[in-house]
């Protein structure tokens, strides 16, 4: 199961990293579309009110491009260590979840966690713990 999550994360990173140069504008549009689609999905699944959808949409439209900007910095620095890309993704997903917690009511938050977010959070926590152990051993 860990391998599946890691493979999915790497594929996500690769799909984000493939875009470059002239395609950057198309990528930004794609990120905006992804943000809108995710906001719409969450509205349906969690029965969000309009103001909540606005905040979710705004959060994603800011955080997805910011995450991509960090990926691009790593790429420009010729970083090939996939764990660094995953760490960037984890950082931004933690921020998104923290913002969601402020936006969603308790019932919506519980539904969000049940929809797979709790599993993703646990996976991120495990990766952080593992990384801190590696740093302590150095």
């Amino acid at each position: 199961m860990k391998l599946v999550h890691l493979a999915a994360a790497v594929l996500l990173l690769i799909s984000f990293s493939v875009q470059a140069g002239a395609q950057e504008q198309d990528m930004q549009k794609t990120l905006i579309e992804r943000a809108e689609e995710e906001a719409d999905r969450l509205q349906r699944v969690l029965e969000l009110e309009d103001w909540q959808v606005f905040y979710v949409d705004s959060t994603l439209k800011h955080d997805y491009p910011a995450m991509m900007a960090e990926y691009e910095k790593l790429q420009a620095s010729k970083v090939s260590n996939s764990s660094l890309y995953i760490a960037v993704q984890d950082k931004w997903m933690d921020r998104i979840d923290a913002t969601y917690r402020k936006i969603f009511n308790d019932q919506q938050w519980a539904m969000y966690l049940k929809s797979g977010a709790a599993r993703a959070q646990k996976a991120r926590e495990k990766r952080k713990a593992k990384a801190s152990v590696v740093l302590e051993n150095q």
Side-chain angles (χ1 to χ4, degrees):
M1 193 66 165
K2 289 181 184 179
L3 184 58
V4 171
H5 287 291
L6 181 59
V10 171
L11 287 175
L12 179 64
L13 291 173
I14 291 170
S15 70
F16 281 144
S17 300
V18 169
Q19 303 291 333
Q23 296 175 337
E24 185 174 331
Q25 190 174 25
D26 291 338
M27 183 176 62
Q28 291 296 332
K29 182 179 177 184
T30 303
L31 290 175
I32 299 300
E33 289 171 354
R34 287 181 189 172
E36 291 170 352
E37 289 169 0
E38 179 64 6
D40 290 342
R41 185 189 73 79
L42 289 173
Q43 180 180 26
R44 285 188 313 275
V45 171
L46 305 178
E47 300 176 5
L48 300 178
E49 295 185 31
D50 291 341
W51 68 269
Q52 292 173 305
V53 176
F54 172 78
Y55 283 115
V56 168
D57 185 67
S58 297
T59 298
L60 296 176
K61 285 181 179 176
H62 170 268
D63 290 357
Y64 283 175
M67 181 171 57
M68 284 305 303
E70 284 196 47
Y71 287 157
E72 290 168 4
K73 285 180 185 176
L74 290 175
Q75 236 180 349
S77 299
K78 307 286 189 211
V79 173
S80 61
N81 186 345
S82 63
S83 63
L84 294 176
Y85 289 92
I86 292 170
V88 168
Q89 180 183 9
D90 286 351
K91 176 182 94 171
W92 283 100
M93 295 311 294
D94 283 341
R95 287 184 183 185
I96 290 169
D97 280 351
T99 303
Y100 283 175
R101 183 64 190 115
K102 294 175 186 175
I103 297 169
F104 300 160
N105 63 34
D106 291 339
Q107 181 183 5
Q108 292 166 332
W109 181 249
M111 289 171 40
Y112 174 70
L113 292 175
K114 286 181 185 177
S115 73
R119 201 172 345 183
Q121 288 175 352
K122 286 179 185 176
R124 289 194 302 267
E125 288 302 318
K126 284 182 181 179
R127 285 192 293 271
K128 280 184 197 173
K130 185 177 179 183
S132 67
V133 168
V134 168
L135 289 175
E136 289 174 5
N137 291 333
Q138 290 183 351

